[in-house]
Amino acid sequence: MPRIIKHPELRREELLDHAQALFLTHGYDRASLNDVIAAAGISKGAFYHYFASKEALLEALAERFARQALAGVQDVLRDPALDPLGRLNALLAKSRQAKVETAAEAWALFETMFRPENLVLFHRINLAASAAFSPLLVEIIRQGVEDGTFRTFDPEGVADIVMQFGMATHDVIAKAFAGGSDADMDIAIETLERRVRLYEIALDRILGLPDGSIRIGEPGYVRAVMTARRANPSVGTDARPSKNR
């Protein structure tokens, strides 16, 4: 039978599908590159044509999550009934909803980022999210400046600050995971809830808005995302890094 040649982008997406399934089932550390290659039914040489490493696979999965999240907010961006403040809050609300709905799966894939040895990987994955969402934030903020809703001289800088909020919570989450107890998690949730309120006030001030205008969080949001980590049995296990990376 003739050999089936697939389009490179289709093959790449299939590799991501296999990697995601294995990481979800076994955990990122327990699933090796050899496992991914075997599941995909390709050679090592073919795999390395698409991804340089296991970490590169995880980065690509993060980029795919970001693209999917981006697709989920297009209705907000195109809604003519929303003013810039309404559009920004609607974008943040959509982001919260997506994080809650995908939290268990996301933790299974990305919890490894919060280990001390993976800080560089954490920053690289956050850059993928920033690349997807910063242009949207800049566009909304510019619209708000033009119509007088927002008061800032640097829309790009404000967008960068918003994207930095997630990176600023790294140490709080990492400490909770390292502790591992319910008490550690409760402390982390309380800390994150305070941080969210602080970030909301900071963003209001930066944009020249009354306090309470921007809603990054909502009651129960942080707890829903953080405790979803326990929903997947592979998350939080004593997984050791695989030798076949």
Side-chain angles (χ1 to χ4, degrees):
M1 294 182 63
R3 186 165 65 94
I4 299 174
I5 300 177
K6 295 184 178 180
H7 189 278
E9 190 58 34
L10 177 60
R11 173 66 77 184
R12 185 177 187 275
E13 286 299 308
E14 287 182 347
L15 284 170
L16 288 174
D17 289 340
H18 288 298
Q20 181 168 326
L22 285 167
F23 293 165
L24 286 174
T25 303
H26 303 295
Y28 175 80
D29 288 313
R30 292 184 186 276
S32 69
L33 276 186
N34 285 344
D35 294 332
V36 176
I37 291 167
I42 61 173
S43 67
K44 282 190 176 181
F47 174 86
Y48 285 115
H49 176 74
Y50 295 97
F51 300 104
S53 64
K54 188 178 179 184
E55 289 80 6
L57 262 181
L58 195 65
E59 285 185 68
L61 285 171
E63 291 170 0
R64 188 161 75 169
F65 264 66
R67 289 197 306 271
Q68 291 167 348
L70 193 62
V73 301
Q74 292 305 310
D75 58 334
V76 168
L77 301 177
R78 297 169 182 162
D79 188 346
L82 293 173
D83 62 14
L85 177 56
R87 185 167 285 111
L88 179 55
N89 273 325
L91 178 65
L92 294 171
K94 284 273 190 176
S95 176
R96 289 195 301 272
Q97 179 184 357
K99 286 179 180 178
V100 170
E101 291 175 350
T102 63
E105 182 178 10
W107 283 130
L109 293 173
F110 304 124
E111 185 191 4
T112 184
M113 297 188 307
F114 292 94
R115 295 178 189 151
E117 67 271 21
N118 288 334
L119 186 59
V120 171
L121 180 61
F122 173 83
H123 284 286
R124 283 178 5 208
I125 287 176
N126 270 276
L127 285 174
S130 181
F133 279 92
S134 285
L136 302 183
L137 291 169
V138 171
E139 180 183 352
I140 293 171
I141 295 166
R142 280 180 175 162
Q143 290 171 352
V145 171
E146 290 171 1
D147 73 3
T149 302
F150 304 143
R151 294 193 301 276
T152 180
F153 57 87
D154 188 359
E156 290 84 359
V158 176
D160 285 345
I161 289 172
V162 174
M163 298 309 302
Q164 289 292 325
F165 287 164
M167 298 182 70
T169 62
H170 174 277
D171 289 350
V172 177
I173 298 173
K175 186 176 180 180
F177 289 176
S181 71
D182 289 343
D184 291 319
M185 183 60 69
D186 287 338
I187 290 171
I189 289 170
E190 291 173 6
T191 302
L192 290 172
E193 288 173 341
R194 289 197 302 272
R195 293 286 171 86
V196 167
R197 292 197 297 272
L198 178 65
Y199 296 156
E200 289 173 339
I201 293 171
L203 195 51
D204 286 335
R205 305 287 174 83
I206 290 169
L207 291 174
L209 297 168
D211 289 355
S213 297
I214 301 293
R215 296 297 305 274
I216 297 174
E218 62 184 356
Y221 161 64
V222 172
R223 183 168 293 276
V225 172
M226 291 294 288
T227 57
R229 170 177 173 263
R230 301 166 181 161
N232 191 298
S234 69
V235 180
T237 57
D238 186 23
R240 298 288 184 243
S242 170
K243 295 180 180 179
N244 297 317
R245 294 173 67 87

mmCIF file of all heavy atoms in Angstrom, residues 212-232:
data_model
loop_
_atom_site.group_PDB
_atom_site.id
_atom_site.type_symbol
_atom_site.label_atom_id
_atom_site.label_comp_id
_atom_site.label_asym_id
_atom_site.label_seq_id
_atom_site.Cartn_x
_atom_site.Cartn_y
_atom_site.Cartn_z
ATOM 1 N N GLY A 212 -13.548 49.530 41.706
ATOM 2 C CA GLY A 212 -14.653 48.611 41.473
ATOM 3 C C GLY A 212 -15.098 48.526 40.032
ATOM 4 O O GLY A 212 -16.041 47.792 39.721
ATOM 5 N N SER A 213 -14.416 49.256 39.148
ATOM 6 C CA SER A 213 -14.821 49.246 37.733
ATOM 7 C C SER A 213 -14.373 47.980 37.014
ATOM 8 O O SER A 213 -15.105 47.422 36.198
ATOM 9 C CB SER A 213 -14.247 50.475 37.009
ATOM 10 O OG SER A 213 -14.751 51.670 37.546
ATOM 11 N N ILE A 214 -13.153 47.531 37.298
ATOM 12 C CA ILE A 214 -12.590 46.360 36.629
ATOM 13 C C ILE A 214 -12.808 45.128 37.502
ATOM 14 O O ILE A 214 -12.594 45.157 38.710
ATOM 15 C CB ILE A 214 -11.083 46.543 36.382
ATOM 16 C CG1 ILE A 214 -10.825 47.772 35.514
ATOM 17 C CG2 ILE A 214 -10.490 45.288 35.743
ATOM 18 C CD1 ILE A 214 -11.332 47.658 34.111
ATOM 19 N N ARG A 215 -13.245 44.027 36.869
ATOM 20 C CA ARG A 215 -13.489 42.780 37.595
ATOM 21 C C ARG A 215 -12.593 41.679 37.040
ATOM 22 O O ARG A 215 -12.914 41.067 36.023
ATOM 23 C CB ARG A 215 -14.957 42.372 37.482
ATOM 24 C CG ARG A 215 -15.935 43.324 38.124
ATOM 25 C CD ARG A 215 -15.697 43.410 39.632
ATOM 26 N NE ARG A 215 -15.730 42.110 40.269
ATOM 27 C CZ ARG A 215 -16.852 41.518 40.692
ATOM 28 N NH1 ARG A 215 -18.026 42.114 40.534
ATOM 29 N NH2 ARG A 215 -16.797 40.335 41.269
ATOM 30 N N ILE A 216 -11.471 41.466 37.703
ATOM 31 C CA ILE A 216 -10.589 40.367 37.309
ATOM 32 C C ILE A 216 -11.108 39.045 37.868
ATOM 33 O O ILE A 216 -11.011 38.000 37.241
ATOM 34 C CB ILE A 216 -9.149 40.631 37.795
ATOM 35 C CG1 ILE A 216 -8.596 41.882 37.122
ATOM 36 C CG2 ILE A 216 -8.249 39.429 37.518
ATOM 37 C CD1 ILE A 216 -7.243 42.305 37.642
ATOM 38 N N GLY A 217 -11.649 39.088 39.081
ATOM 39 C CA GLY A 217 -12.173 37.887 39.716
ATOM 40 C C GLY A 217 -13.639 38.027 40.043
ATOM 41 O O GLY A 217 -14.290 39.008 39.681
ATOM 42 N N GLU A 218 -14.158 37.015 40.710
ATOM 43 C CA GLU A 218 -15.530 37.003 41.199
ATOM 44 C C GLU A 218 -15.567 36.042 42.383
ATOM 45 O O GLU A 218 -14.644 35.234 42.555
ATOM 46 C CB GLU A 218 -16.512 36.561 40.112
ATOM 47 C CG GLU A 218 -16.272 35.158 39.600
ATOM 48 C CD GLU A 218 -17.214 34.805 38.454
ATOM 49 O OE1 GLU A 218 -18.084 35.620 38.131
ATOM 50 O OE2 GLU A 218 -17.054 33.704 37.894
ATOM 51 N N PRO A 219 -16.607 36.119 43.226
ATOM 52 C CA PRO A 219 -16.646 35.235 44.407
ATOM 53 C C PRO A 219 -16.511 33.762 44.032
ATOM 54 O O PRO A 219 -17.224 33.267 43.154
ATOM 55 C CB PRO A 219 -18.017 35.540 45.015
ATOM 56 C CG PRO A 219 -18.306 36.952 44.601
ATOM 57 C CD PRO A 219 -17.730 37.070 43.214
ATOM 58 N N GLY A 220 -15.587 33.080 44.662
ATOM 59 C CA GLY A 220 -15.396 31.650 44.438
ATOM 60 C C GLY A 220 -14.503 31.298 43.267
ATOM 61 O O GLY A 220 -14.166 30.113 43.078
ATOM 62 N N TYR A 221 -14.089 32.294 42.477
ATOM 63 C CA TYR A 221 -13.317 32.017 41.257
ATOM 64 C C TYR A 221 -11.960 31.379 41.579
ATOM 65 O O TYR A 221 -11.610 30.331 41.030
ATOM 66 C CB TYR A 221 -13.133 33.306 40.465
ATOM 67 C CG TYR A 221 -12.020 33.274 39.446
ATOM 68 C CD1 TYR A 221 -12.085 32.410 38.358
ATOM 69 C CD2 TYR A 221 -10.906 34.107 39.572
ATOM 70 C CE1 TYR A 221 -11.058 32.380 37.423
ATOM 71 C CE2 TYR A 221 -9.888 34.081 38.645
ATOM 72 C CZ TYR A 221 -9.967 33.218 37.578
ATOM 73 O OH TYR A 221 -8.953 33.180 36.661
ATOM 74 N N VAL A 222 -11.206 32.000 42.474
ATOM 75 C CA VAL A 222 -9.866 31.484 42.786
ATOM 76 C C VAL A 222 -9.955 30.084 43.366
ATOM 77 O O VAL A 222 -9.213 29.180 42.974
ATOM 78 C CB VAL A 222 -9.140 32.432 43.757
ATOM 79 C CG1 VAL A 222 -7.836 31.802 44.237
ATOM 80 C CG2 VAL A 222 -8.858 33.767 43.088
ATOM 81 N N ARG A 223 -10.873 29.875 44.298
ATOM 82 C CA ARG A 223 -11.008 28.554 44.913
ATOM 83 C C ARG A 223 -11.397 27.501 43.876
ATOM 84 O O ARG A 223 -10.886 26.364 43.907
ATOM 85 C CB ARG A 223 -12.039 28.601 46.044
ATOM 86 C CG ARG A 223 -12.197 27.271 46.787
ATOM 87 C CD ARG A 223 -12.997 27.431 48.067
ATOM 88 N NE ARG A 223 -12.267 28.232 49.047
ATOM 89 C CZ ARG A 223 -11.353 27.738 49.864
ATOM 90 N NH1 ARG A 223 -11.062 26.433 49.834
ATOM 91 N NH2 ARG A 223 -10.738 28.518 50.732
ATOM 92 N N ALA A 224 -12.288 27.838 42.955
ATOM 93 C CA ALA A 224 -12.715 26.882 41.934
ATOM 94 C C ALA A 224 -11.545 26.442 41.070
ATOM 95 O O ALA A 224 -11.395 25.254 40.747
ATOM 96 C CB ALA A 224 -13.821 27.482 41.081
ATOM 97 N N VAL A 225 -10.692 27.392 40.695
ATOM 98 C CA VAL A 225 -9.550 27.059 39.851
ATOM 99 C C VAL A 225 -8.504 26.268 40.620
ATOM 100 O O VAL A 225 -7.991 25.254 40.133
ATOM 101 C CB VAL A 225 -8.926 28.347 39.265
ATOM 102 C CG1 VAL A 225 -7.626 28.030 38.536
ATOM 103 C CG2 VAL A 225 -9.898 29.024 38.305
ATOM 104 N N MET A 226 -8.199 26.708 41.834
ATOM 105 C CA MET A 226 -7.137 26.056 42.598
ATOM 106 C C MET A 226 -7.517 24.645 43.041
ATOM 107 O O MET A 226 -6.701 23.721 42.985
ATOM 108 C CB MET A 226 -6.786 26.905 43.814
ATOM 109 C CG MET A 226 -6.099 28.224 43.467
ATOM 110 S SD MET A 226 -4.459 27.992 42.740
ATOM 111 C CE MET A 226 -3.523 27.454 44.181
ATOM 112 N N THR A 227 -8.740 24.452 43.488
ATOM 113 C CA THR A 227 -9.137 23.132 43.985
ATOM 114 C C THR A 227 -9.439 22.158 42.861
ATOM 115 O O THR A 227 -9.511 20.942 43.100
ATOM 116 C CB THR A 227 -10.354 23.237 44.921
ATOM 117 O OG1 THR A 227 -11.433 23.880 44.236
ATOM 118 C CG2 THR A 227 -10.011 24.029 46.162
ATOM 119 N N ALA A 228 -9.599 22.634 41.644
ATOM 120 C CA ALA A 228 -9.811 21.727 40.509
ATOM 121 C C ALA A 228 -8.592 20.853 40.270
ATOM 122 O O ALA A 228 -8.686 19.800 39.641
ATOM 123 C CB ALA A 228 -10.132 22.522 39.246
ATOM 124 N N ARG A 229 -7.470 21.263 40.781
ATOM 125 C CA ARG A 229 -6.238 20.474 40.660
ATOM 126 C C ARG A 229 -6.415 19.071 41.228
ATOM 127 O O ARG A 229 -5.820 18.113 40.754
ATOM 128 C CB ARG A 229 -5.122 21.209 41.387
ATOM 129 C CG ARG A 229 -3.831 20.456 41.570
ATOM 130 C CD ARG A 229 -2.824 21.383 42.237
ATOM 131 N NE ARG A 229 -1.608 20.686 42.584
ATOM 132 C CZ ARG A 229 -1.344 20.192 43.779
ATOM 133 N NH1 ARG A 229 -2.250 20.308 44.738
ATOM 134 N NH2 ARG A 229 -0.204 19.589 44.022
ATOM 135 N N ARG A 230 -7.268 18.965 42.262
ATOM 136 C CA ARG A 230 -7.454 17.672 42.921
ATOM 137 C C ARG A 230 -8.385 16.749 42.145
ATOM 138 O O ARG A 230 -8.531 15.586 42.487
ATOM 139 C CB ARG A 230 -8.025 17.886 44.321
ATOM 140 C CG ARG A 230 -7.134 18.739 45.210
ATOM 141 C CD ARG A 230 -7.864 19.201 46.443
ATOM 142 N NE ARG A 230 -7.021 20.047 47.286
ATOM 143 C CZ ARG A 230 -7.480 20.864 48.215
ATOM 144 N NH1 ARG A 230 -8.786 20.959 48.420
ATOM 145 N NH2 ARG A 230 -6.661 21.608 48.935
ATOM 146 N N ALA A 231 -9.026 17.267 41.112
ATOM 147 C CA ALA A 231 -10.004 16.475 40.373
ATOM 148 C C ALA A 231 -9.358 15.431 39.486
ATOM 149 O O ALA A 231 -9.994 14.471 39.075
ATOM 150 C CB ALA A 231 -10.898 17.383 39.523
ATOM 151 N N ASN A 232 -8.067 15.616 39.156
ATOM 152 C CA ASN A 232 -7.384 14.673 38.286
ATOM 153 C C ASN A 232 -6.439 13.824 39.128
ATOM 154 O O ASN A 232 -5.547 14.347 39.771
ATOM 155 C CB ASN A 232 -6.599 15.416 37.193
ATOM 156 C CG ASN A 232 -6.089 14.470 36.123
ATOM 157 O OD1 ASN A 232 -5.301 13.585 36.397
ATOM 158 N ND2 ASN A 232 -6.533 14.681 34.902
#
